[in-house]
Amino acid sequence: MKYDFQTHPISYSDLKYIEESWDRYKFEKNKPREDKPAFAIGSYFESLLLGEDTSEFVIGDGRSKEVKEAKEEGKRHLGIKDAEMVHNMLVACDNNPDLYWLDENFSAQQYLHGNLRGVDCKGYADIITEDRIIDIKTIDSLANIDKAVANGYYLQAAMYQALYFQMTDKFLPFYFFFIEKKAPHYTWLGEIPQDYIEAGKLKIFDILGKVKDCREKDLNGEFTGFDLKLKKPKYLKWTQKTNINYLKYYSNFYKIEKYESGLLNEFTIILILIKNRIKKIKY
């Protein structure tokens, strides 16, 4: 698919590329789509859970003639073991209290669109009920939820909430439903704190603020790649003034008896400061 980068709506997944550089965004959108197994598993699970059409998927041995032909026709492939795993995930969802909303009236895969900071944006909400927006995620371990949200999912929550409010003039809190891909497939349904979402909106608006400028530069044939300025390392000034010949400190996890002459690297200094276990330093 060839994108019109001057007018094409921006999605949540585009933000990380645009933040890096406009040229990176263009490269990623123009390259052939790679349907990774994790993406196919998540989409297949969502479709079955929500009762959506699954005709775009083909199940079987990737080496078989039938599967190869189906993939050439554009179908998404899942191996037999992956399909069995999705089936077990669905079984784990039976009578799950986190899925009470499946018994209510809800809309699935609702298209969201609007104009944020003068830029057309879009998204697809997995679930919208009377009182919340819910996005479904598969994950290796529920222990990784904090990291997953902090690394970008809070931006998705921010964009979808903002688009839905613009479309309906109605505020809805945002929830994620996570399910582990490994047995016994534990689940978690939780609301994303609104302060996370407000922080996400600020970051989204900052990124979208660059889009107009990049589009204008694109029309003028100007370079829209990396525009980075090197920052002086936080501890560079301190280490340049200090020639450490001997360091001895103790911590719960590390014990260094002697450090050779020379400058400490930044990681070691940060480690020392965080642990705050410096016993003795001689210059």
Side-chain angles (χ1 to χ4, degrees), residues 58-62 67 77-87:
V58 58
I59 311 298
D61 188 335
V67 170
H77 171 241
L78 272 84
I80 296 174
K81 288 186 177 180
D82 287 340
E84 290 176 348
M85 178 182 68
V86 170
H87 171 75

Side-chain angles (χ1 to χ4, degrees), residues 12 137-139 145 148-158 174 176 178 192:
Y12 145 73
K137 300 291 186 188
T138 57
I139 197 168
I145 288 177
V149 172
N151 282 351
Y153 285 163
Y154 77 108
L155 296 177
Q156 181 184 13
F174 195 98
F176 279 115
F178 283 93
I192 303 303

Side-chain angles (χ1 to χ4, degrees), residues 29-201:
K29 301 302 284 188
N30 276 328
K31 74 178 185 181
R33 175 184 173 183
E34 180 183 1
D35 192 22
K36 297 180 180 179
F39 296 159
I41 289 170
S43 297
Y44 187 57
F45 170 73
E46 290 177 19
S47 297
L48 290 175
L49 181 67
L50 302 177
E52 299 288 297
D53 179 32
T54 59
S55 60
E56 66 170 316
F57 298 95
V58 58
I59 311 298
D61 188 335
R63 298 168 296 182
S64 69
K65 180 181 178 181
E66 294 79 6
V67 170
K68 288 181 178 179
E69 290 177 348
K71 290 173 66 176
E72 289 177 357
E73 294 173 0
K75 290 187 179 289
R76 305 177 68 181
H77 171 241
L78 272 84
I80 296 174
K81 288 186 177 180
D82 287 340
E84 290 176 348
M85 178 182 68
V86 170
H87 171 75
N88 293 332
M89 291 164 65
L90 290 169
V91 172
C93 289
D94 287 345
N95 300 316
N96 186 323
D98 282 343
L99 297 175
Y100 70 90
W101 39 268
L102 283 177
D103 298 326
E104 301 177 354
N105 293 324
F106 66 87
S107 59
Q109 294 296 321
Q110 181 169 333
Y111 180 63
L112 303 176
H113 60 91
N115 190 283
L116 304 177
R117 287 296 188 269
V119 178
D120 288 336
C121 298
K122 67 174 183 176
Y124 285 91
D126 289 337
I127 297 291
I128 297 182
T129 69
E130 288 295 322
D131 63 353
R132 66 191 63 186
I133 303 171
I134 305 172
D135 195 78
I136 301 169
K137 300 291 186 188
T138 57
I139 197 168
D140 291 329
S141 171
L142 295 185
N144 298 332
I145 288 177
D146 279 351
K147 182 178 180 182
V149 172
N151 282 351
Y153 285 163
Y154 77 108
L155 296 177
Q156 181 184 13
M159 177 175 277
Y160 286 14
Q161 187 185 79
L163 290 175
Y164 184 78
F165 180 80
Q166 191 174 91
M167 291 173 61
T168 66
D169 202 29
K170 182 179 180 181
F171 171 84
L172 288 182
F174 195 98
Y175 285 69
F176 279 115
F177 173 74
F178 283 93
I179 181 168
E180 289 185 336
K181 289 185 284 187
K182 62 183 180 182
H185 309 295
Y186 292 122
T187 65
W188 180 86
L189 175 70
E191 180 181 359
I192 303 303
Q194 192 59 35
D195 57 343
Y196 281 39
I197 295 178
E198 295 305 323
K201 289 176 184 176

Side-chain angles (χ1 to χ4, degrees), residues 243-262:
N243 182 25
I244 298 178
N245 296 314
Y246 184 80
L247 167 68
K248 187 175 183 180
Y249 74 97
Y250 300 93
S251 74
N252 294 330
F253 302 101
Y254 299 90
K255 184 177 180 181
I256 299 177
E257 295 295 341
K258 187 175 181 180
Y259 194 92
E260 298 296 332
S261 297

Side-chain angles (χ1 to χ4, degrees), residues 5-6 22 26 214-222 224:
F5 292 100
Q6 291 296 318
W22 187 253
K26 293 198 303 183
C214 288
R215 284 174 170 169
E216 183 178 343
K217 288 182 177 179
D218 241 0
L219 289 175
N220 296 332
E222 298 178 42
T224 52

